[in-house]
Each structure stands twice: as C-alpha cells, then as structure tokens.
Amino acid sequence: MDGRILVTGGAGYIGSHVVVAIAEAGYAPIILDNFSTSSHDVIPRLAALTGGAVDVIEADVRDAGALRRTFHDHPISGVIHCAGLKLVGEGEERPLAYWDVNVGGTIALAEVMGEAGVARLVFSSSATVYGQPDVLPVAESAPLKPQSVYGRTKRAAEEFLRDLARANANWRIAILRYFNPAGAHVSGRIGEAPTGRPGNLVPLLCRVAAGEIGELAIYGSDWPTEDGTGVRDYLHVQDLADGHVAALRRLASVPGATTLNLGIGRGWSVLEVVRAFERACGRRIARTFAPRRPGDVACYYADPSRAEAMLGWRAMRDLDTICADAWRWQRTGAGS
Ligand SMILES: NC(=O)c1ccc[n+]([C@@H]2O[C@H](COP(=O)([O-])OP(=O)(O)OC[C@H]3O[C@@H](n4cnc5c(N)ncnc54)[C@H](O)[C@@H]3O)[C@@H](O)[C@H]2O)c1
C-alpha cells in the first residue's frame, strides 16, 4: 500500500466503480464529492462492496481550502479526478458552470496537489474531444474538434494538464478518454443513476424495460451505417474502472502526461444494443424512430491499442454482459 488515493467525484457513476476497483487492488480510497449529481445512498453500498467504511469528504473540488485540509489530514499519494459536469445539452445552457467546474476544478486540484507534493493524477476525459472523426478507429493522435461546450471544457482541462507536465517533470498524469461507459457493477449494488430523464442509451433502455418510459426514441434511421442507426463503442464500466487501476500502477513510473483512449475497439449500432437488451431483460423494447439530432455523428469507436501496450489493459466484458448488468442494477439497485 503506498498511501491513499483521493477519488474526486467518487460518489458518481464512474467514480463509484473506480472506488471499488482500487479498493480491490489494495489501495485505500478517499472520496471527495459535493453530491451535486449523485446521492449519499451510494456510500453504504460502497462500504459493503469494499468491506470497510469509506472515507468521504463532502466538498467542492473548486474549494482550495477544503482540498488543502484534505491533503493535510490524509497521506494521499495519488488522485483520480472524476468530479465534473457531463451533460452535453446542459453544457450549452450553462457554459459558465461547465467551464468553472470542469476547468476551474481541475486547476484548483492541480494547484493544491503541487503544494502538497502529490504528482500522480488520473484524469477523466472523454472521446467527445474528437468531435466528428475523419478516420476510424479513432486514435489519440486524431484532431481534437469538440462540438459542444462540454467537449471544449474537457479539451481545455487536458491542455492545461499537458502544459503542467511540460513545465514540471515531476508530474505523472494519465489523461483517459472514455468512449461510451455503460452497464453496472455485477453485484447490482451500484450503477448509473441519472437524475431526471436519462440521456444515454442503456439507462433509457432500463427505464423503458421497467415501464417507466413508454418507448425508446432512436435518433436517425438513415445514418450511413449497416442498419441506419448510430454506432458507438460501449465499454463496461467495470472494465473502465480497471483501466484506472492500471493507469495508477503503470504510469507512476512514466513522467509527463500520457493520453489514452479507453474503449473496446469496435462499435455497436443502436439496434444491436436494443436487441442485446431485449435478450437480457426478456421483454420487447418499444421503439420509435425520430429525426437525427444536430451534432450527432454516424459512427465512432476507439483504437485502444496504446492503452493495451502501455497499461496492459483491455476491455473484457461484451455487450450482453453490459446489458445483463445494467438490467440487474435496474431491478435490484436503482432507486431502491
Ligand atoms: N458517463 C459517461 O458517459 C462519461 C463519458 C466520458 C467522460 N466522462 C467523465 O467522467 C467523469 C465522471 O462521470 P460520471 O458519468 O460518473 O458522472 P456523474 O455525474 O455520475 O459523477 C460525477 C460526480 O462528480 C461530482 N461533482 C460534480 N461537480 C463537483 C464539484 N464541483 N465538486 C465535487 N464533486 C463534484 C458529482 O456529485 C458526482 O458524484 C466526469 O468528469 C465526466 O465528464 C463520463
């Protein structure tokens, strides 16, 4: 054990799975979260899954004073920075909040880490920084052309972290660009719990299958893909969490900022996901076709080979597992 790992946003969808994965790997996690988009209910579930009480600091990641106290009070040796705002549509309406939390929060955190002499950082970025890709699969070297406020805040935070690492050789930073995280923990105890109507496909399928939403709207049936629906790289959230453990371990000895795609490396169409979900839940998913949404793209999936080479990491779980785990979470965990 080499000190404690601070997980900002550790009560959220991805952060909670990261907390479980790093605890299983032998690290002692501490959560810092302001619970703006998550619930306190997750904390006892995390304690049950990790087999011990989980330390939680309820604070805003932009609050440098709270961060200083946290680093002063705990022997923190690394940080996984998941706290952030992630809704593309909301970002267009609230650019100030998105820039403040996603970029300002990253700057505040890095400043206090620098003061505390903690140089190991794993950052949650997103494939949304690529925008419409010119070439598939999408490699890390692809041009960054984000189409949204949200994507531009992730690109800016990435650039800030690369500047930091260029200026000071002590930093060891992993910038992880997630493709489409989906599914839930196999236990059914933690998963994606969007407030309001879900924006992502798998949580929508859960709600439709549970009868909470009448039908699934599929945006576009005329994309240039095999069945006309959009194609994305769906990555099981536990595989994603394992990628953070690998980054924490391997990149401790790699100076500078390293940018890595985390994806499975192939795409599934919306209709393929719907069929897989129908197999998982044993029910028919009512669906309707709606016009394409502005800003959507036909198809993208990752080239994950750099992560494989540098981290020894590869996504292992398939689409059927994603759907089965998400459905288990819907029935046993979500909202209960
Ligand atoms: N879920 C995805 O599809 C996806 C894809 C790519 C990247 N990401 C990134 O991964 C990270 C985690 O996403 P998620 O899906 O778990 O979202 P989430 O909303 O479930 O979790 C985010 C967590 O951060 C906390 N938080 C937000 N603002 C905060 C602040 N100012 N101070 C402290 N805590 C704060 C929230 O309360 C929540 O617990 C985000 O940075 C997001 O941009 C997510």
Side-chain angles (χ1 to χ4, degrees), residues 183-208:
H185 194 268
V186 64
S187 65
R189 286 187 167 176
I190 55 171
E192 192 167 6
T195 43
R197 193 183 171 93
N200 289 339
L201 177 57
V202 174
L204 271 170
L205 287 166
C206 287
R207 301 275 175 94
V208 175

Side-chain angles (χ1 to χ4, degrees), residues 244-261:
H244 291 69
V245 174
L248 206 55
R249 279 202 180 121
R250 295 287 179 98
L251 296 181
S253 54
V254 180
T258 306
T259 306
L260 298 168
N261 284 340

Side-chain angles (χ1 to χ4, degrees), residues 184-236:
H185 194 268
V186 64
S187 65
R189 286 187 167 176
I190 55 171
E192 192 167 6
T195 43
R197 193 183 171 93
N200 289 339
L201 177 57
V202 174
L204 271 170
L205 287 166
C206 287
R207 301 275 175 94
V208 175
E212 293 169 18
I213 293 177
E215 59 186 9
L216 175 75
I218 299 176
Y219 297 103
S221 56
D222 55 353
W223 293 105
T225 61
E226 212 149 282
D227 64 21
T229 64
V231 168
R232 298 286 180 274
D233 180 327
Y234 294 95
L235 167 72
H236 196 293

Side-chain angles (χ1 to χ4, degrees), residues 31 78 90 204 243 262 275:
I31 293 173
E90 186 186 57
L204 271 170
L262 294 188
R275 281 195 291 273

Side-chain angles (χ1 to χ4, degrees), residues 12-14 33-34 36-38 60-61 82 86 125 150 154:
Y13 171 46
I14 292 164
D33 202 301
N34 69 355
S36 57
T37 62
S38 56
D60 195 298
V61 74
C82 298
K86 66 163 182 184
S125 190
Y150 167 63
K154 286 291 175 189

Side-chain angles (χ1 to χ4, degrees), residues 129 144-146 151-160 162:
V129 296
L144 304 185
K145 302 176 290 184
R152 287 189 286 276
T153 65
K154 286 291 175 189
R155 180 180 62 185
E158 282 196 6
E159 282 173 358
F160 160 67
R162 281 190 282 270

